[in-house]
Amino acid sequence: MDSQTALRNQTAPDTSTAGRLKPNSLGVLGILFFVLSAQAPLTGIAGSVPISVALGNGPGTPAAYAAAGVITLLFSVGFVAMGRHVVNAGAFYTYIGKGLGRSLGTGSAGIALFAYCAIQAAMYGLYGATVSALLAHHTGLDAPWWACALVTMAIVQVLGAVGIEMGARVLAVFVLAEFSILAAFALVTLAKGGGPEGLGLTESFSPGAALKGAPGVALMFAVASMIGFEATAIYGEEAREPRRTVPRATYLAVALVTGFFAFTSWMLVSSYGASKATAAAGKALASGDSTAFVFAPIADRFGTWVNDVLPILLATSLFAGILAFHNSANRYLFSLSRDGLLPRRLSSINRRHSPGVAGAVQTAIAVLLVVPFALAGKDPVLTLFSWGSGVAVLGIMLLYLLTSVSVVAFFRRDRLDTRPWNTLIAPALGAVGIAGALWLIVENFTTLIGGEQTTALWLELTVPAVLALGMLAARLTRARS
């Protein structure tokens, strides 16, 4: 071999991995940290539990989390069965396309991208407000919320580009920190026999408690807190032994998240006493700081130093969620590009086998979603966070429903798995539960976004509009090919 040939061989691109994400990068725990980060446990507890207790079924809120977990578990059975035969970073859209046709699959890809980008933008709104307040409190620096958000976008872009392993390590630190303090509070409260009225097991988990007040509102927020676990399939291409790793990570994520939210919310209710929890949550909401319902009993248990630590953990919880959804969204862009539905440039891989161009585009989308709210002078929590998270919940729940139906259709047509429970019964039951939850979300959407009815209607209409545009794009693409 002459020197010029040797030089060409050394500098030629590695075509064996072109268009592929880096395999064997994540194990069960790595995927689990991405899932738990998307759930943003402290954000979910501090943001959702006070509203569920005040406006939902009061002390029966923990039962709503348990019910949401059962629905999600039923969905997961079919989701995992499909994942054994379809491994793709597009997850939802690939699954739906396999069972219900390419047009609907592509439309669902539009919803997935829209939902992930919307919820990430929503988190930037709450994150920016939280960090701005922290800087003012600890340093006296009056930094606008949008400046904090833009700086963080640059950091997220870098972490997303340097590789999935680095992202997993960063998320592991943040997730363990927020889990630890909440779990410690819940376990100590349990060990001490609960609050002034005891543990209140019956008051929180009996059928009567579950159906008290407005259980639909509580179930809606509980289901919203579960969103993000589907990321297990998105990382299938980067997982070690995906046929084993993804199912284990999925079931573990659902069990852990359900247990965590149900147990922690139960201990929060118990710390006040079942008869007083609803009033306490209502008082926190009326004060404009709903997190007080969660932070106050933790500070009472561990000391006032917690009041300085928890807001910081809330910020890191939001950062972890932002990074997780960044990775989910850029993998959708990558997968759509690789399948020829978006410009090919988006499926290019950088030296660390990460979707660098797709990541940059996703960051640009985040800027485009956040900046208008800053220019308009809107409150980042009451508008950007509330609207973005509401739209995302609605969109992703629709994807859950379509995926469940697709699983049934796929295995009825292609008999790759003939287990009735996995391919028919559980997905069908999951679809019924998800359809019910979706109806509750639509029925209570104004409450979910904390806005006006007209605003709620316009936001609701964006989801079917995105679905229709995606389906139209698929047909135009097919017509040109």
Side-chain angles (χ1 to χ4, degrees):
M1 181 184 296
D2 59 34
S3 59
Q4 290 184 341
T5 302
L7 180 61
R8 282 197 301 270
N9 289 341
Q10 290 173 7
T11 57
D14 181 6
T15 58
S16 64
T17 58
R20 292 182 56 201
L21 298 170
K22 187 176 181 181
N24 301 316
S25 300
L26 295 171
V28 173
L29 289 180
I31 295 175
L32 186 62
F33 280 125
F34 275 104
V35 172
L36 297 179
S37 299
Q39 247 104 37
L42 181 56
T43 305
I45 290 290
S48 298
V49 172
I51 301 174
S52 296
V53 174
L55 305 179
N57 56 353
T61 290
Y65 283 104
V70 171
I71 293 171
T72 306
L73 185 61
L74 288 170
F75 167 81
S76 300
V77 173
F79 186 69
V80 165
M82 189 79 152
R84 294 183 185 277
H85 303 281
V86 182
V87 178
N88 188 287
F92 276 142
Y93 104 83
T94 308
Y95 291 7
I96 294 169
K98 289 287 185 182
L100 301 178
R102 183 179 179 184
S103 293
L104 192 55
T106 305
S108 68
I111 293 179
L113 265 176
F114 179 55
Y116 285 141
C117 290
I119 199 167
Q120 188 201 40
M123 286 182 160
Y124 272 123
L126 181 56
Y127 172 87
T130 301
V131 172
S132 176
L134 285 172
L135 288 174
H137 178 71
H138 291 288
T139 69
L141 179 64
D142 186 18
W145 70 268
W146 53 264
C148 300
L150 290 175
V151 169
T152 303
M153 287 178 194
I155 297 171
V156 168
Q157 170 61 28
V158 171
L159 287 174
V162 297
I164 199 70
E165 301 100 322
M166 178 60 72
R169 294 188 190 105
V170 171
L171 294 179
V173 174
F174 291 155
V175 170
L176 287 174
E178 58 183 301
F179 254 93
S180 296
I181 194 163
L182 289 172
F185 162 76
L187 289 171
V188 169
T189 302
L190 177 68
K192 290 184 176 295
E197 299 174 11
L199 292 174
L201 179 64
T202 303
E203 289 81 355
S204 286
F205 289 103
S206 68
L211 297 175
K212 183 180 179 181
V217 173
L219 182 62
M220 175 183 66
F221 280 102
V223 169
S225 299
M226 301 297 293
I227 285 175
F229 82 93
E230 72 283 346
T232 54
I234 293 174
Y235 299 108
E237 290 186 41
E238 298 157 280
R240 304 185 194 102
E241 298 184 71
R243 294 182 185 278
R244 294 183 179 180
T245 301
V246 171
R248 290 174 182 173
T250 302
Y251 288 130
L252 184 58
V254 173
L256 186 58
V257 170
T258 300
F260 176 80
F261 276 97
F263 179 49
T264 305
S265 61
W266 174 31
M267 289 299 100
L268 281 169
V269 168
S270 174
S271 68
Y272 286 97
S275 66
K276 300 176 182 178
T278 303
K283 183 179 179 180
L285 289 181
S287 72
D289 182 16
S290 61
T291 62
F293 178 76
V294 176
F295 291 179
I298 298 177
D300 289 342
R301 182 69 70 188
F302 296 135
T304 55
W305 62 270
V306 169
N307 290 323
D308 292 324
V309 173
L310 284 175
I312 295 173
L313 289 180
L314 178 60
T316 59
S317 172
L318 287 162
F319 179 85
I322 286 168
L323 179 57
F325 282 114
H326 170 81
N327 284 316
S328 295
N330 68 28
R331 277 153 181 76
Y332 261 92
L333 289 168
F334 166 85
S335 183
L336 287 168
S337 170
R338 188 173 57 184
D339 290 348
L341 296 170
L342 288 177
R344 287 290 182 186
R345 179 66 175 156
L346 290 172
S347 61
S348 61
I349 300 296
N350 63 22
R351 292 182 178 180
R352 295 181 177 272
H353 295 281
S354 293
V357 176
V361 170
Q362 200 286 315
T363 299
I365 292 172
V367 173
L368 292 174
L369 289 174
V370 169
V371 167
F373 286 85
L375 293 176
K378 296 292 186 180
D379 185 292
V381 178
L382 298 179
T383 57
L384 180 55
F385 176 71
S386 298
W387 297 0
S389 56
V391 166
V393 168
L394 184 61
I396 293 178
M397 287 304 296
L398 178 58
L399 292 178
Y400 286 177
L401 178 61
L402 291 173
T403 301
S404 292
V405 176
S406 179
V407 168
V408 175
F410 176 76
F411 286 112
R412 299 284 70 75
R413 185 181 63 246
D414 300 322
R415 309 292 290 183
L416 298 174
D417 188 334
T418 58
R419 295 173 295 173
W421 171 255
N422 298 71
T423 63
L424 177 60
I425 300 173
L429 291 174
V432 171
I434 291 166
L438 193 57
W439 178 82
L440 289 172
I441 289 170
V442 172
E443 189 73 11
N444 298 280
F445 197 70
T446 304
T447 301
L448 180 62
I449 68 165
E452 299 177 352
Q453 190 170 0
T454 303
T455 302
L457 178 61
W458 280 109
L459 290 173
E460 286 176 304
L461 290 175
T462 60
V463 174
V466 170
L467 177 64
L469 287 173
M471 294 178 69
L472 178 61
R475 291 180 180 179
L476 292 176
T477 302
R478 191 182 307 127
R480 287 197 301 265
S481 60

